[in-house]
Amino acid sequence: MGGRKDRSAVLVISKDAERGSCIVVPITHREPEGRTVGIEVPAAVRMTLGLDDRRQWIIISEGNRFVWPGPDLRPVPDAQPPSVIYGRIPRSLFVDVLTQLQTLIRAKRTTVVAR
């Protein structure tokens, strides 16, 4: 993923629950192009999570690995009580993200950066 930028993300895999290692994939307004693979976030899900109403994608061809909880987490703006969690995506969307991410990992078409 390019530079460091605060953005919404989807926690996809908790690799090591004991140490809190996890993998997240970003949510962005930028429509996937070229080799970038993304799944559009449905409007109803954006609304439920408190995201803006512009089209957004979960980018599954790139991700970050880090320790949860840790210094990489940022609070949700204006959340009361303060939280780093926007909410849960529907199970069907999560399964779609996870399944497609696993396919890309097997095909060596995804990049995961350790933070």
Side-chain angles (χ1 to χ4, degrees), residues 10-91:
V10 175
L11 174 64
V12 179
I13 301 169
S14 178
K15 286 186 61 114
D16 184 344
E18 210 170 280
R19 292 188 304 171
S21 178
C22 66
I23 294 175
V24 297
V25 291
I27 298 176
T28 183
H29 291 105
R30 186 178 303 222
E31 189 167 355
E33 56 184 31
R35 293 186 53 87
T36 302
V37 180
I39 298 171
E40 188 167 2
V41 180
V45 174
R46 292 192 313 263
M47 187 175 75
T48 299
L49 295 176
L51 302 174
D52 63 47
D53 59 356
R54 292 174 41 213
R55 292 175 73 190
Q56 297 185 48
W57 286 264
I58 300 168
I59 302 300
I60 58 172
S61 53
E62 53 190 57
N64 289 317
R65 178 181 298 119
F66 65 93
V67 174
W68 182 298
D72 296 301
L73 298 175
R74 304 289 185 272
V76 174
D78 303 319
Q80 291 302 324
S83 177
V84 297
I85 300 171
Y86 281 80
R88 293 177 182 250
I89 63 174
R91 181 166 180 74

